[in-house]
Amino acid sequence: MKHDDNCIFCKIVTGDIPASIVYEDDDVIAFTDIGQVTKGHTLLIPKDHQPDIYDLQPETAAKLFGMAPKIANAIKSALSPAGMNLVNNNGKAASQSVFHFHLHFIPRYGSSDGFQPTWEDNSSSYSAEDLKNMAESISKRI
Ligand code: AMP
Ligand code: ZN
């Protein structure tokens, strides 16, 4: 199990700093986010220190994402939100602030509940040819 002494989430894994634990097994741990964007905002992380989606091991991903529906359903059952956004930030440019992979569960209660998942429709900037070229470029690297 990789551990980074300077990582706040590794310290939660080892119990060196407190967290309100929602779920824990040998591979993953879920706890309430100290920031609470909306009521019930929860984080699911691997116990192993893997910084972001680029480093996330497929076996770890399978275990972590395998738990995601159970965590979501537990939050739904406990708090009856109207919806739920799952968010994962990778890199400073994408607002990642803790560099230990984590999946945010953000229960939604309406359009002014504190979370704003807005983005522009830029489809007019890309032709069908552009989409095909992008797909080919990505595809050949998998
Ligand atoms: P991100 O910006 O995607 O890296 O999200 C990091 C999240 O970790 C933020 O929502 C913080 O509120 C949360 N966070 C930071 N420290 C703690 C902590 N000690 N316990 C619980 N959540 C934390
Ligand atoms: Zn860590």
Side-chain angles (χ1 to χ4, degrees):
M1 190 82 70
K2 284 189 298 299
H3 178 90
D4 181 335
D5 288 342
N6 298 314
C7 172
I8 197 156
F9 287 175
C10 282
K11 289 186 177 132
I12 287 176
V13 170
T14 53
D16 289 322
I17 67 164
S20 297
I21 309 291
V22 166
Y23 173 80
E24 180 170 10
D25 63 26
D26 287 347
D27 303 300
V28 302
I29 184 165
F31 50 91
T32 49
D33 191 303
I34 206 164
Q36 290 296 289
V37 168
T38 66
K39 187 178 182 182
H41 180 184
T42 297
L43 301 175
L44 175 62
I45 71 169
K47 287 190 167 178
D48 195 45
H49 181 81
Q50 300 177 21
D52 53 33
I53 190 67
Y54 309 114
D55 293 304
L56 191 65
Q57 298 302 299
E59 320 81 66
T60 309
K63 287 169 179 160
L64 188 135
F65 285 96
M67 274 310 298
K70 284 190 180 164
I71 303 291
N73 275 296
I75 295 169
K76 185 181 177 206
S77 173
L79 296 167
S80 303
M84 175 99 56
N85 285 105
L86 265 56
V87 177
N88 162 238
N89 302 323
N90 298 285
K92 278 202 180 93
S95 303
Q96 184 176 11
S97 62
V98 177
F99 293 86
H100 179 135
F101 183 91
H102 50 281
L103 192 56
H104 293 259
F105 292 75
I106 304 177
R108 300 302 309 283
Y109 302 95
S111 54
S112 55
D113 60 4
F115 182 68
Q116 289 178 359
T118 57
W119 58 75
E120 295 166 14
D121 179 354
N122 288 311
S123 53
S124 60
S125 306
Y126 300 95
S127 68
E129 184 69 12
D130 291 332
L131 300 188
K132 188 166 162 284
N133 290 339
M134 275 190 282
E136 271 172 19
S137 170
I138 297 166
S139 178
K140 71 184 181 195
R141 290 172 167 84
I142 291 174

